[in-house]
Amino acid sequence: MTKDEFKKTALGGLTNNPVFVLVLGMCPTIAKSDNIINALSLGICTAFVLVFSNVIISALRKVIPDKVHLPAYIIIIASLVTFVQMIVKSFMPELNDSIGAFIALITVNCIILGRAESFAGKNKVLPSFIDGLSMGLGFIVSITLLGSIRQLLTMAFGSGFFDKTMGGFIVLGLLMAAFNRIFDAVKQYRKRRTPLIEREAV
């Protein structure tokens, strides 16, 4: 794994943020970002499954037949989700009451299946671990930021809009616009800086 490949993979959760850029996993993102606790908890559960499914799928990529690779991925992901569900149900029953149904849905979360198909199934274990960690952290930050803002707006304006689906979509849309605007500005700045750095080096 070269330095450039490591950097690209490690920054994948930012440059290809699963929520703000790739727009994946919208169902749990909107449904359980009504407050910061639900958002952070679901983000951590999803990231855990993402990291370890990437690692396991990468380690088994050469022994999983191509014809059944998708069902095999789903079995691996479902097993990890079941483990997470058992932990949450046993030690955090109140949290399970709040987000339990959406933990089960992690099995078919397109972020996890997408990374398994496009990355973990084609790369070695270490890069796959880094990819899973980067994307997982990107998802945690995105859904927690969304949950924090929605909770603050609900506290400020009262329940009934920002803690509902429509309010969630509006806040998400504004965050996506702000994220992409800032990211584009950073890319333009780096493009302007590159010729200056090259001239200084000469």
Side-chain angles (χ1 to χ4, degrees):
M1 189 176 189
T2 66
K3 183 178 179 180
D4 288 341
E5 289 173 338
F6 174 83
K7 183 178 179 181
K8 182 179 179 180
T9 303
L11 294 177
L14 175 64
T15 58
N16 287 310
N17 186 273
V19 175
F20 297 146
V21 177
L22 300 179
V23 198
L24 298 174
M26 289 295 100
C27 177
T29 298
I30 294 296
K32 285 302 165 184
S33 63
D34 53 336
N35 65 70
I36 188 172
I37 298 299
N38 286 346
L40 178 60
S41 301
L42 186 60
I44 292 172
C45 291
T46 304
F48 176 88
V49 175
L50 178 54
V51 170
F52 284 96
S53 64
N54 260 23
V55 169
I56 295 170
I57 289 168
S58 175
L60 298 177
R61 71 189 187 282
K62 293 184 179 180
V63 300
I64 297 175
D66 290 338
K67 292 183 179 180
V68 297
H69 73 277
L70 189 57
Y73 294 171
I74 293 174
I75 290 172
I76 292 168
I77 294 167
S79 299
L80 290 167
V81 170
T82 302
F83 172 75
V84 171
Q85 273 191 303
M86 291 171 60
I87 295 297
V88 173
K89 188 176 292 186
S90 297
F91 298 102
M92 293 168 279
E94 292 183 0
L95 182 63
N96 182 68
D97 292 339
S98 179
I99 67 169
F102 287 88
I103 294 176
L105 290 176
I106 293 174
T107 303
V108 291
N109 189 309
C110 47
I111 298 172
I112 299 173
L113 286 172
R115 298 323 294 172
E117 182 74 20
S118 65
F119 198 95
K122 302 173 182 178
N123 291 276
K124 295 181 179 179
V125 172
L126 180 58
S128 297
F129 170 78
I130 296 170
D131 176 77
L133 184 62
S134 175
M135 286 292 177
L137 289 174
F139 182 71
I140 290 173
V141 171
S142 301
I143 193 172
T144 303
L145 179 62
L146 180 60
S148 302
I149 293 175
R150 289 180 67 186
Q151 184 171 355
L152 287 172
L153 290 172
T154 298
M155 291 169 63
F157 298 102
S159 179
F161 185 73
F162 288 108
D163 57 342
K164 306 301 180 185
T165 302
M166 181 60 69
F169 273 115
I170 290 174
V171 176
L172 175 62
L174 293 173
L175 283 174
M176 289 174 63
F179 179 89
N180 286 286
R181 180 68 185 88
I182 293 170
F183 194 66
D184 287 342
V186 170
K187 288 196 294 186
Q188 292 298 323
Y189 174 77
R190 292 181 65 181
K191 285 182 179 179
R192 291 194 300 268
R193 286 284 297 167
T194 300
L196 293 174
I197 294 172
E198 290 177 349
R199 286 200 295 269
E200 290 174 359
V202 174

PDB file of all heavy atoms in Angstrom, residues 170-185:
ATOM      1  N   ILE A 170     -34.738  18.669   5.714  1.00  0.00           N
ATOM      2  CA  ILE A 170     -34.334  20.060   5.498  1.00  0.00           C
ATOM      3  C   ILE A 170     -32.966  20.329   6.109  1.00  0.00           C
ATOM      4  O   ILE A 170     -32.078  20.916   5.463  1.00  0.00           O
ATOM      5  CB  ILE A 170     -35.395  21.019   6.072  1.00  0.00           C
ATOM      6  CG1 ILE A 170     -36.660  20.963   5.230  1.00  0.00           C
ATOM      7  CG2 ILE A 170     -34.858  22.450   6.141  1.00  0.00           C
ATOM      8  CD1 ILE A 170     -37.818  21.767   5.784  1.00  0.00           C
ATOM      9  N   VAL A 171     -32.764  19.887   7.348  1.00  0.00           N
ATOM     10  CA  VAL A 171     -31.465  20.092   8.002  1.00  0.00           C
ATOM     11  C   VAL A 171     -30.377  19.327   7.251  1.00  0.00           C
ATOM     12  O   VAL A 171     -29.277  19.850   7.037  1.00  0.00           O
ATOM     13  CB  VAL A 171     -31.518  19.641   9.477  1.00  0.00           C
ATOM     14  CG1 VAL A 171     -30.140  19.769  10.125  1.00  0.00           C
ATOM     15  CG2 VAL A 171     -32.530  20.482  10.256  1.00  0.00           C
ATOM     16  N   LEU A 172     -30.676  18.107   6.832  1.00  0.00           N
ATOM     17  CA  LEU A 172     -29.701  17.322   6.075  1.00  0.00           C
ATOM     18  C   LEU A 172     -29.327  18.026   4.774  1.00  0.00           C
ATOM     19  O   LEU A 172     -28.146  18.097   4.407  1.00  0.00           O
ATOM     20  CB  LEU A 172     -30.264  15.934   5.774  1.00  0.00           C
ATOM     21  CG  LEU A 172     -29.386  15.034   4.887  1.00  0.00           C
ATOM     22  CD1 LEU A 172     -28.048  14.760   5.556  1.00  0.00           C
ATOM     23  CD2 LEU A 172     -30.104  13.728   4.568  1.00  0.00           C
ATOM     24  N   GLY A 173     -30.315  18.545   4.065  1.00  0.00           N
ATOM     25  CA  GLY A 173     -30.046  19.251   2.818  1.00  0.00           C
ATOM     26  C   GLY A 173     -29.147  20.454   3.015  1.00  0.00           C
ATOM     27  O   GLY A 173     -28.216  20.692   2.228  1.00  0.00           O
ATOM     28  N   LEU A 174     -29.403  21.215   4.070  1.00  0.00           N
ATOM     29  CA  LEU A 174     -28.566  22.387   4.366  1.00  0.00           C
ATOM     30  C   LEU A 174     -27.141  21.978   4.729  1.00  0.00           C
ATOM     31  O   LEU A 174     -26.174  22.620   4.303  1.00  0.00           O
ATOM     32  CB  LEU A 174     -29.200  23.193   5.502  1.00  0.00           C
ATOM     33  CG  LEU A 174     -30.534  23.879   5.176  1.00  0.00           C
ATOM     34  CD1 LEU A 174     -31.137  24.497   6.430  1.00  0.00           C
ATOM     35  CD2 LEU A 174     -30.333  24.948   4.103  1.00  0.00           C
ATOM     36  N   LEU A 175     -27.005  20.898   5.513  1.00  0.00           N
ATOM     37  CA  LEU A 175     -25.674  20.408   5.874  1.00  0.00           C
ATOM     38  C   LEU A 175     -24.925  19.887   4.654  1.00  0.00           C
ATOM     39  O   LEU A 175     -23.720  20.127   4.505  1.00  0.00           O
ATOM     40  CB  LEU A 175     -25.786  19.305   6.928  1.00  0.00           C
ATOM     41  CG  LEU A 175     -26.062  19.755   8.362  1.00  0.00           C
ATOM     42  CD1 LEU A 175     -26.291  18.541   9.260  1.00  0.00           C
ATOM     43  CD2 LEU A 175     -24.901  20.582   8.901  1.00  0.00           C
ATOM     44  N   MET A 176     -25.617  19.192   3.771  1.00  0.00           N
ATOM     45  CA  MET A 176     -24.989  18.699   2.551  1.00  0.00           C
ATOM     46  C   MET A 176     -24.499  19.850   1.687  1.00  0.00           C
ATOM     47  O   MET A 176     -23.384  19.813   1.154  1.00  0.00           O
ATOM     48  CB  MET A 176     -25.974  17.828   1.759  1.00  0.00           C
ATOM     49  CG  MET A 176     -26.258  16.486   2.390  1.00  0.00           C
ATOM     50  SD  MET A 176     -27.569  15.561   1.521  1.00  0.00           S
ATOM     51  CE  MET A 176     -26.784  15.332  -0.074  1.00  0.00           C
ATOM     52  N   ALA A 177     -25.316  20.877   1.550  1.00  0.00           N
ATOM     53  CA  ALA A 177     -24.926  22.041   0.760  1.00  0.00           C
ATOM     54  C   ALA A 177     -23.707  22.735   1.367  1.00  0.00           C
ATOM     55  O   ALA A 177     -22.763  23.103   0.648  1.00  0.00           O
ATOM     56  CB  ALA A 177     -26.098  23.018   0.657  1.00  0.00           C
ATOM     57  N   ALA A 178     -23.723  22.906   2.691  1.00  0.00           N
ATOM     58  CA  ALA A 178     -22.591  23.560   3.365  1.00  0.00           C
ATOM     59  C   ALA A 178     -21.322  22.727   3.248  1.00  0.00           C
ATOM     60  O   ALA A 178     -20.234  23.256   2.962  1.00  0.00           O
ATOM     61  CB  ALA A 178     -22.940  23.789   4.841  1.00  0.00           C
ATOM     62  N   PHE A 179     -21.446  21.406   3.452  1.00  0.00           N
ATOM     63  CA  PHE A 179     -20.279  20.523   3.368  1.00  0.00           C
ATOM     64  C   PHE A 179     -19.654  20.579   1.982  1.00  0.00           C
ATOM     65  O   PHE A 179     -18.437  20.737   1.839  1.00  0.00           O
ATOM     66  CB  PHE A 179     -20.696  19.086   3.695  1.00  0.00           C
ATOM     67  CG  PHE A 179     -19.566  18.096   3.618  1.00  0.00           C
ATOM     68  CD1 PHE A 179     -18.783  17.832   4.733  1.00  0.00           C
ATOM     69  CD2 PHE A 179     -19.289  17.420   2.434  1.00  0.00           C
ATOM     70  CE1 PHE A 179     -17.738  16.911   4.664  1.00  0.00           C
ATOM     71  CE2 PHE A 179     -18.250  16.502   2.357  1.00  0.00           C
ATOM     72  CZ  PHE A 179     -17.472  16.252   3.471  1.00  0.00           C
ATOM     73  N   ASN A 180     -20.469  20.441   0.958  1.00  0.00           N
ATOM     74  CA  ASN A 180     -19.945  20.423  -0.406  1.00  0.00           C
ATOM     75  C   ASN A 180     -19.407  21.785  -0.826  1.00  0.00           C
ATOM     76  O   ASN A 180     -18.430  21.854  -1.581  1.00  0.00           O
ATOM     77  CB  ASN A 180     -21.022  19.936  -1.374  1.00  0.00           C
ATOM     78  CG  ASN A 180     -21.263  18.442  -1.258  1.00  0.00           C
ATOM     79  OD1 ASN A 180     -20.466  17.641  -1.703  1.00  0.00           O
ATOM     80  ND2 ASN A 180     -22.370  18.057  -0.637  1.00  0.00           N
ATOM     81  N   ARG A 181     -20.005  22.848  -0.328  1.00  0.00           N
ATOM     82  CA  ARG A 181     -19.492  24.199  -0.635  1.00  0.00           C
ATOM     83  C   ARG A 181     -18.120  24.389  -0.013  1.00  0.00           C
ATOM     84  O   ARG A 181     -17.187  24.897  -0.663  1.00  0.00           O
ATOM     85  CB  ARG A 181     -20.460  25.255  -0.105  1.00  0.00           C
ATOM     86  CG  ARG A 181     -20.015  26.692  -0.376  1.00  0.00           C
ATOM     87  CD  ARG A 181     -20.080  27.001  -1.862  1.00  0.00           C
ATOM     88  NE  ARG A 181     -19.548  28.308  -2.165  1.00  0.00           N
ATOM     89  CZ  ARG A 181     -18.270  28.582  -2.427  1.00  0.00           C
ATOM     90  NH1 ARG A 181     -17.356  27.590  -2.395  1.00  0.00           N
ATOM     91  NH2 ARG A 181     -17.886  29.811  -2.710  1.00  0.00           N
ATOM     92  N   ILE A 182     -17.971  23.996   1.241  1.00  0.00           N
ATOM     93  CA  ILE A 182     -16.680  24.132   1.925  1.00  0.00           C
ATOM     94  C   ILE A 182     -15.634  23.237   1.274  1.00  0.00           C
ATOM     95  O   ILE A 182     -14.492  23.646   1.045  1.00  0.00           O
ATOM     96  CB  ILE A 182     -16.825  23.783   3.429  1.00  0.00           C
ATOM     97  CG1 ILE A 182     -17.696  24.832   4.130  1.00  0.00           C
ATOM     98  CG2 ILE A 182     -15.459  23.680   4.101  1.00  0.00           C
ATOM     99  CD1 ILE A 182     -18.093  24.449   5.535  1.00  0.00           C
ATOM    100  N   PHE A 183     -16.023  22.009   0.939  1.00  0.00           N
ATOM    101  CA  PHE A 183     -15.082  21.073   0.330  1.00  0.00           C
ATOM    102  C   PHE A 183     -14.622  21.561  -1.042  1.00  0.00           C
ATOM    103  O   PHE A 183     -13.446  21.444  -1.393  1.00  0.00           O
ATOM    104  CB  PHE A 183     -15.735  19.693   0.214  1.00  0.00           C
ATOM    105  CG  PHE A 183     -14.761  18.595  -0.074  1.00  0.00           C
ATOM    106  CD1 PHE A 183     -13.793  18.236   0.859  1.00  0.00           C
ATOM    107  CD2 PHE A 183     -14.808  17.912  -1.280  1.00  0.00           C
ATOM    108  CE1 PHE A 183     -12.891  17.216   0.593  1.00  0.00           C
ATOM    109  CE2 PHE A 183     -13.911  16.895  -1.549  1.00  0.00           C
ATOM    110  CZ  PHE A 183     -12.946  16.548  -0.609  1.00  0.00           C
ATOM    111  N   ASP A 184     -15.534  22.113  -1.833  1.00  0.00           N
ATOM    112  CA  ASP A 184     -15.162  22.671  -3.138  1.00  0.00           C
ATOM    113  C   ASP A 184     -14.211  23.858  -2.979  1.00  0.00           C
ATOM    114  O   ASP A 184     -13.265  24.016  -3.760  1.00  0.00           O
ATOM    115  CB  ASP A 184     -16.409  23.119  -3.903  1.00  0.00           C
ATOM    116  CG  ASP A 184     -17.218  21.940  -4.431  1.00  0.00           C
ATOM    117  OD1 ASP A 184     -16.661  20.829  -4.506  1.00  0.00           O
ATOM    118  OD2 ASP A 184     -18.403  22.136  -4.751  1.00  0.00           O
ATOM    119  N   ALA A 185     -14.459  24.685  -1.955  1.00  0.00           N
ATOM    120  CA  ALA A 185     -13.577  25.837  -1.713  1.00  0.00           C
ATOM    121  C   ALA A 185     -12.175  25.381  -1.333  1.00  0.00           C
ATOM    122  O   ALA A 185     -11.175  25.965  -1.777  1.00  0.00           O
ATOM    123  CB  ALA A 185     -14.172  26.713  -0.608  1.00  0.00           C
TER     124      ALA A 185
END
